[in-house]
Amino acid sequence: MGETVAVCDQNGNFLAWGAYSPASQIRVRLWSFNEEEKINAEFFYHRIKNAMLVRERTVPLSETNAFRCVHAESDGLPGLVVDRYADWMVVQLLSAGANYWKQEIISILSEFNVKGIYERSDVDVRRLEGLIETTGVLWGEDPPSKVLIKENNYQFFVDIQKGQKTGFYLDQRVNREKVKKYCSGKEILNCFCYTGGFTVYALAGGAKHVISIDSSETALLSVTENLQINGLPTEKNQCLEADVFLALRKFRDEGRAFDVIILDPPKFASTASQAQRAARGYKDINLLAMKLLNPGGILATFSCSGGISPELFQKIVAGAAIDAKADMQVIERLHQSPDHPVSLTFPEGEYLKGLICMKNPTN
Ligand code: SAH
């Protein structure tokens, strides 16, 4: 499982080298279209090195030491995700092919100035590849329970062993900075806040007050720590452990209003077939949020569902605006940060989209 096979057309002409995955619906994931290329440790070294060079040019490394180093297909390495958190690397091996080359990949990564490499292959897509979920130290030292990272010069504690995904939502780095600009002197509602990424930026941007909502108690415990480590006023933030769908309704019934609302929900749809159900979820929260916005208020709304295209997402948000009777304009369109690049041959790699919308100031 995961061995290299040649993919040929019906006449036996070579098309590509790929990794064979007998258990998966995606039977082969391609490594290379070049027949001369040998799929070996050197191949992985070159692809990984290339991915690292792209980050050196696109990530402001003096301000940010946590970012995605390898973004799977988008870096020519299907099934391999590598995130750097200060001195640590976190690896996800999501396909039979990536798993097959595990030892070679670890030995290559260990040369990139790290203290330790930790595996977070506790992701259900592994099952589709016939692999079991695995976590643990792959190389070097055990990571501390909280790794302190720097993102745009803000600090965050990240639990790379048990946190969501590989510990932190690195894909929102650029968007957090963008949302910050709208926060000065404002009342903020940060929905699906996780460990407080947007909360830290909002208060650093001079927000008057933030309510940070998440259903995860563990995540919320980190919000206050992350404010403290940045010297930000914890009393200006209120953590609320709640289901956002219910909390928004409660705020509506109480007649509450906010100047900036952030909606960064988890993935509602991984594939296009789940799009319809997901669309209902997005419409619901966006509609409620628009009703809670003051005139001139800002909605920063995101979708990380691969099954929802940017066009469809905009349509869903537009539908929500009509039903909320809110006159909204798109001010900015947002995407995943540049350390999550999109290969032109793999447009599916573009999964995170966002809109910053403003409610008519005199509405
Ligand atoms: N905005 C965050 C990332 C959000 S990830 C950041 O910048 O880091 C999505 C979050 O939604 C997770 O923390 C998850 O615990 C939370 N979540 C999932 N379903 C929820 C629900 N129904 N209500 C509230 N929070 C929920």
Side-chain angles (χ1 to χ4, degrees), residues 151 156 164-165 167-173 176 190-199 201 213-217 219-220 240-247 262-268 285 302 304:
E151 183 194 78
F156 290 93
Q164 296 181 22
K165 284 180 82 174
F168 199 62
Y169 289 85
L170 299 168
D171 50 3
Q172 289 284 28
R173 172 170 49 90
R176 292 191 184 110
N190 181 10
C191 299
F192 309 97
C193 67
Y194 187 48
T195 55
F198 285 101
T199 304
Y201 283 70
I213 311 182
D214 203 281
S215 55
S216 159
E217 187 191 2
L220 287 173
L240 190 60
E241 185 187 336
D243 179 334
V244 166
F245 288 82
L246 301 178
I262 300 152
L263 295 177
D264 184 20
K267 188 160 60 176
F268 290 157
I285 51 175
F302 297 93
C304 61

Side-chain angles (χ1 to χ4, degrees), residues 165-210:
K165 284 180 82 174
T166 61
F168 199 62
Y169 289 85
L170 299 168
D171 50 3
Q172 289 284 28
R173 172 170 49 90
V174 168
N175 300 333
R176 292 191 184 110
E177 197 71 73
K178 291 201 168 154
V179 170
K180 181 178 105 177
K181 289 183 306 200
Y182 297 95
C183 294
S184 179
K186 305 292 188 197
E187 293 278 351
I188 319 288
L189 180 61
N190 181 10
C191 299
F192 309 97
C193 67
Y194 187 48
T195 55
F198 285 101
T199 304
V200 163
Y201 283 70
L203 284 173
K208 198 198 292 175
H209 187 261
V210 185

Side-chain angles (χ1 to χ4, degrees), residues 9-317:
D9 69 12
Q10 56 188 0
N11 300 317
N13 299 315
F14 176 87
L15 292 175
W17 295 115
Y20 182 54
S21 178
S24 173
Q25 235 184 354
I26 304 173
R27 200 49 62 89
V28 178
R29 287 173 195 266
L30 301 186
W31 293 128
S32 170
F33 291 98
N34 177 2
E35 193 169 7
E36 310 303 315
E37 195 151 34
K38 299 259 178 303
I39 310 305
N40 53 22
E42 203 186 330
F43 166 84
F44 286 96
Y45 175 76
H46 284 302
R47 290 270 161 112
I48 290 172
K49 177 84 187 151
N50 197 62
M52 301 285 182
L53 288 172
V54 171
R55 284 15 178 227
E56 276 176 28
R57 289 172 171 221
T58 54
V59 179
L61 297 172
S62 55
E63 297 153 24
T64 297
N65 65 8
F67 52 91
R68 179 149 297 186
C69 311
V70 177
H71 188 44
E73 280 85 351
S74 303
D75 285 301
L77 292 165
L80 178 64
V81 168
V82 183
D83 288 340
R84 181 178 261 278
Y85 291 100
D87 292 330
W88 308 89
M89 273 186 191
V90 182
V91 172
Q92 290 184 316
L93 301 159
L94 306 172
S95 65
N99 200 64
Y100 181 84
W101 293 97
K102 184 171 179 172
Q103 291 316 320
E104 288 78 1
I105 290 168
I106 297 161
S107 123
I108 293 162
L109 292 175
S110 68
E111 287 170 29
F112 286 90
N113 198 17
V114 281
K115 276 195 186 147
I117 304 175
Y118 195 83
E119 180 169 16
R120 282 298 303 272
S121 298
D122 48 336
V123 198
D124 48 10
V125 292
R126 291 256 303 182
R127 290 181 201 285
L128 303 175
E129 293 278 323
L131 304 166
I132 53 159
E133 298 188 12
T134 338
T135 61
V137 176
L138 292 173
W139 181 90
E141 295 173 32
D142 283 8
S145 62
K146 281 173 194 163
V147 175
L148 188 60
I149 61 137
K150 193 169 69 170
E151 183 194 78
N152 295 324
N153 280 334
Y154 298 112
Q155 290 181 292
F156 290 93
F157 287 111
V158 178
D159 181 350
I160 64 175
Q161 298 174 63
K162 296 201 192 71
Q164 296 181 22
K165 284 180 82 174
T166 61
F168 199 62
Y169 289 85
L170 299 168
D171 50 3
Q172 289 284 28
R173 172 170 49 90
V174 168
N175 300 333
R176 292 191 184 110
E177 197 71 73
K178 291 201 168 154
V179 170
K180 181 178 105 177
K181 289 183 306 200
Y182 297 95
C183 294
S184 179
K186 305 292 188 197
E187 293 278 351
I188 319 288
L189 180 61
N190 181 10
C191 299
F192 309 97
C193 67
Y194 187 48
T195 55
F198 285 101
T199 304
V200 163
Y201 283 70
L203 284 173
K208 198 198 292 175
H209 187 261
V210 185
I211 297 180
S212 303
I213 311 182
D214 203 281
S215 55
S216 159
E217 187 191 2
T218 338
L220 287 173
L221 289 173
S222 303
V223 177
T224 307
E225 285 175 356
N226 286 330
L227 290 173
Q228 280 164 344
I229 188 83
N230 290 289
L232 291 165
T234 50
E235 68 280 4
K236 289 191 178 177
N237 173 61
Q238 180 199 344
C239 286
L240 190 60
E241 185 187 336
D243 179 334
V244 166
F245 288 82
L246 301 178
L248 292 176
R249 283 181 167 75
K250 188 156 176 281
F251 286 145
R252 178 198 59 193
D253 296 344
E254 292 168 357
R256 300 282 291 269
F258 299 90
D259 302 311
V260 176
I261 301 181
I262 300 152
L263 295 177
D264 184 20
K267 188 160 60 176
F268 290 157
S270 350
T271 61
S273 62
Q274 300 160 344
Q276 218 174 27
R277 214 198 66 218
R280 280 199 290 276
Y282 288 121
K283 182 165 176 192
D284 190 45
I285 51 175
N286 278 279
L287 193 160
L288 288 161
M290 287 171 189
K291 286 192 172 171
L292 293 176
L293 273 183
N294 283 322
I298 289 285
L299 173 67
T301 182
F302 297 93
S303 160
C304 61
S305 299
I308 304 268
S309 67
E311 294 74 26
L312 177 57
F313 184 57
Q314 184 169 330
K315 278 187 193 153
I316 296 167
V317 175

